[in-house]
């Protein structure tokens, strides 16, 4: 049932993509904002209480309906599973941005690509060159695909899968909503949400990196993972992007991320061998890298689906 639920949800999303600004997500955002307004008194334990209340408000009804549907018939449970997977997946939430950026870069219209990237990432892109636009688009796509697809897959495999899938997506949103906005930075309220998602995403992030390595350049992906993942402040993001960069053969991340303090030296006495070994492998991203990223993501998706199919067959036969 798990494999069939995910397959049906993916097919439905291909035909009818769910917009990122849909009413369901809007309601969750409103609930999170209300919890922050009601409970944020500047202490970490208030954030912990708010986090558990949000989770209870969303997971308990999801699990209860799943239990009731299972009692009615397997088809009712399957329908509920498909609905929840469809709502929690976001495979095509932002694909229009990515595709439009790819088309703009291929046609040499960097200005249009900058505007699209700014709308997607909410960053200042006014001075970005085409290689930087491509790099950020690839990074955003890899991380978004992990959090909107592969992380959901993992938690949907757990007992009471629909509730666990909801937990993963909501935990990811709370970690962002209660930490990233300017008024929430350095606030104790979001500490627990960030830490909770760190552990919730610990295994899925590594499975996604392994999938990228298997369907891409395995040796370079593992090498980049082992040697360059720590350059990102976010550990999970670092693992995913390092493995993705090695799998694709392109250089992701910026020199400022995790770079050591550099002291001026005499160039004639500088040993460049060590510096070269510290350089991330791969080439500078180009417009072609965006197409390669699409291929990597689809191959990783097919790998996940194959593993889910084998697992479902094993459970059915066992």
């Amino acid at each position: 049932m798990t494999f069939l639920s995910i397959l049906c949800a993916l097919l439905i999303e291909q035909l009818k993509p769910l917009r990122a600004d849909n009413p369901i997500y809007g309601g969750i955002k409103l609930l999170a904002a209300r919890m922050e307004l009601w409970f944020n008194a500047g202490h970490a334990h208030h954030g912990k209480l708010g986090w558990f209340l949000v989770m209870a408000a969303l997971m308990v009804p999801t699990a209860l309906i799943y239990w009731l549907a299972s009692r009615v018939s397997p088809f009712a449970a399957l329908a509920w599973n498909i609905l929840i997977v469809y709502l929690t997946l976001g495979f095509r939430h932002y694909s229009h941005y990515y595709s439009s950026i790819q088309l703009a870069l291929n046609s040499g219209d960097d200005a249009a690509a900058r505007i699209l990237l700014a709308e997607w990432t909410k960053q200042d892109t006014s001075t970005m060159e085409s290689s930087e636009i491509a790099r950020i688009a690839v990074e955003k796509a890899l991380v978004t695909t992990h959090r909107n697809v592969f992380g959901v897959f993992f938690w949907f495999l757990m007992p009471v899968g629909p509730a666990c899938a909801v937990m993963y997506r909501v935990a990811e949103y709370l970690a962002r909503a209660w930490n990233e906005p300017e008024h929430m930075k350095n606030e104790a309220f979001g500490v627990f949400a960030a830490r909770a998602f760190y552990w919730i995403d610990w295994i899925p992030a590594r499975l996604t990196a392994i999938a990228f390595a298997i369907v891409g350049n395995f040796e370079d992906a593992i090498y980049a993972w082992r040697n360059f993942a720590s350059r990102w402040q976010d550990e999970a993001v670092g693992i995913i992007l390092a493995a993705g960069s090695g799998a694709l053969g392109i250089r992701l991340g910026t020199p400022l991320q995790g770079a050591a303090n550099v002291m001026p030296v005499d160039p004639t006495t500088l040993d460049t061998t060590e510096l070269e070994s510290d350089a991330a492998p791969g080439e500078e991203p180009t417009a072609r890298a965006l197409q390669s990223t699409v291929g990597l993501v689809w191959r990783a998706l097919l790998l996940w689906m194959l593993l889910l199919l084998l697992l479902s067959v094993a459970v059915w036969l066992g």
Side-chain angles (χ1 to χ4, degrees), residues 43-94:
H43 299 286
H45 65 274
H46 294 148
K48 183 177 182 180
L49 176 61
W51 190 91
F52 277 108
L53 287 175
V54 171
M55 288 299 173
L58 297 172
M59 290 181 65
V60 171
T62 303
L64 181 60
I65 294 174
Y66 174 72
W67 179 78
L68 292 174
S70 300
R71 303 277 291 185
V72 173
S73 74
F75 295 104
L78 176 63
W80 180 245
N81 280 352
I82 293 173
L83 176 62
I84 293 300
V85 175
Y86 175 69
L87 292 175
T88 52
L89 281 179
F91 192 53
R92 296 189 61 190
H93 277 182
Y94 302 100

Side-chain angles (χ1 to χ4, degrees), residues 137-218:
V138 169
E139 291 176 355
K140 182 74 171 177
L142 292 177
V143 174
T144 300
T145 300
H146 162 68
R147 292 177 174 174
N148 289 11
V149 181
F150 301 136
V152 175
F153 282 4
F154 173 82
W155 281 104
F156 188 69
L157 291 172
M158 299 297 107
V160 197
C164 290
V166 169
M167 176 200 67
Y168 178 82
R169 287 304 307 276
V170 175
E172 187 273 331
Y173 174 72
L174 293 181
R176 287 187 291 110
W178 290 354
N179 286 280
E180 291 184 3
E182 285 297 327
H183 73 283
M184 293 298 294
K185 288 182 178 178
N186 302 319
E187 283 270 354
F189 186 79
V191 170
F192 180 80
R195 197 62 183 168
F197 183 67
Y198 169 83
W199 288 111
I200 289 171
D201 199 37
W202 198 92
I203 295 177
R206 285 152 179 81
L207 291 178
T208 296
I210 292 171
F212 287 160
I214 292 173
V215 300
N217 187 320
F218 185 84

Side-chain angles (χ1 to χ4, degrees), residues 286-307:
T286 62
R288 184 179 298 178
L290 275 73
Q291 184 59 42
S292 299
T293 302
V294 172
L296 180 76
V297 168
W298 273 106
R299 292 194 302 273
L301 177 63
L302 291 175
L303 175 64
W304 271 89
M305 294 302 293
L306 176 60
L307 294 176

